[in-house]
Amino acid sequence: MGQITGEMRASFLRDGFVVVPDVLDAAQIARGRRIVEGMLERKPPDPEHRGPYFLVPRFGPAGHPLLEFYRSAGIGELARELLRPGLSMYEPEFAQLALTLPPWPNSPGGPHVDGLTPPEPDGRPGTFSLLAGVWLTDQTFTHRGNLWIWPGTHLRFGRFLAEHGPDALRLQNMAPGPYPPVELGDPVQAAGTAGSVLLAHYLLGHNIGDHIGGERRETVYYRLMTQGHRERWRDYVTDPHVEFRAEPT
């Protein structure tokens, strides 16, 4: 049975993101946190470090515990519920373990877009279809390392690229960047319980927020791409709904 409701789908199309609660059960959360601990034992942050700390393992032919975690948690199946019929999803090639170690009184000045540096080997921007963030720690309250999101910016960014051409998706074209000069509106902080999954459109403006104290924030991010995305990326960035299921009437 699907977990993406019609209301969630409509929210995703309008706002560019949705938080799906209770995707992971307690055992899956515990497994994810054990994977995180194992990674941090091998590559720990400095004891005095505060703020964001990232590890980005590539999976390769041998696989990786975070790829097995992705599969067992059903993240790909969940994301496919947002796609148009007939589209399928590649498995991710890497993950990003994103921690925020408190206290960190950062307030993001503005959003960014992922994947622009370095460009892909074929020279195109590193676009993808969906960002999936798996929350291993509770983010019920704001200012706990929550992701800051500017709702609807994926649509305004898409209009910017439709007007200026998809090849305007370059940092040098988005001064003062790293996001284009579009109306941003007010940001929100994504919130929910551990075991929730955030699904966000590639073009959606977002950034890391502050963490005023308590438990460190642990999120595993996957960049998800539909089959055929590399060939239609220009259509995707100028028509942000091209890969996604239309809102039910």
Side-chain angles (χ1 to χ4, degrees):
M1 182 176 180
Q3 293 177 272
I4 303 291
T5 66
E7 184 178 356
M8 288 177 176
R9 186 171 292 112
S11 176
F12 173 81
L13 294 173
R14 181 187 66 245
D15 297 330
F17 76 101
V18 64
V19 175
V20 187
D22 303 322
V23 177
L24 278 65
D25 61 26
Q28 290 171 316
I29 295 169
R31 181 188 177 201
R33 299 201 71 181
R34 286 194 299 270
I35 295 171
V36 169
E37 286 296 337
M39 294 173 64
L40 294 177
E41 286 176 4
R42 293 186 291 273
K43 293 185 177 181
D46 185 278
E48 301 302 315
H49 180 81
R50 297 294 179 268
Y53 181 73
F54 304 118
L55 294 174
V56 185
R58 300 199 72 86
F59 297 150
H64 191 276
L66 285 181
L67 178 56
E68 294 303 318
F69 180 67
Y70 167 89
R71 292 169 175 165
S72 65
I75 305 304
E77 290 81 358
L78 180 72
R80 274 193 288 270
E81 294 183 39
L82 288 175
L83 300 181
R84 289 187 181 277
L87 286 183
S88 55
M89 193 86 72
Y90 292 113
E91 285 198 320
E93 297 176 353
F94 63 92
Q96 182 190 55
L97 170 59
L99 307 182
T100 307
L101 303 169
W104 195 55
N106 172 67
S107 180
H112 67 264
V113 61
D114 295 326
L116 298 186
T117 55
E120 295 292 299
D122 59 6
R124 73 172 189 88
T127 65
F128 50 91
S129 301
L130 281 168
L131 182 68
V134 183
W135 294 350
L136 299 178
T137 53
D138 190 81
Q139 297 187 38
T140 304
F141 299 102
T142 57
H143 304 286
R144 298 299 193 279
N146 312 64
L147 193 69
W148 287 45
I149 289 171
W150 281 259
T153 45
H154 66 307
L155 300 177
R156 297 190 285 278
F157 197 170
R159 288 195 292 269
F160 173 88
L161 293 171
E163 179 180 351
H164 294 86
D167 290 298
L169 185 59
R170 299 284 192 273
L171 285 176
Q172 64 266 29
N173 296 324
M174 296 193 293
Y179 205 76
V182 302
E183 180 186 350
L184 295 177
D186 295 326
V188 300
Q189 297 182 48
T193 57
S196 300
V197 172
L198 168 80
L199 297 172
H201 194 283
Y202 168 75
L203 292 177
L204 185 70
H206 63 279
N207 212 336
I208 300 167
D210 57 337
H211 195 333
I212 63 174
E215 184 181 34
R216 75 187 180 205
R217 186 266 303 187
E218 298 179 6
T219 302
V220 179
Y221 287 109
Y222 299 94
R223 294 181 180 182
L224 307 183
M225 183 183 293
T226 60
Q227 294 187 12
H229 176 92
R230 287 185 175 89
E231 292 72 35
R232 65 170 164 268
W233 74 268
R234 289 180 170 86
D235 293 332
Y236 176 92
V237 301
T238 54
D239 179 3
H241 289 169
V242 71
E243 292 187 347
F244 300 103
R245 190 184 301 266
E247 180 182 354
T249 56

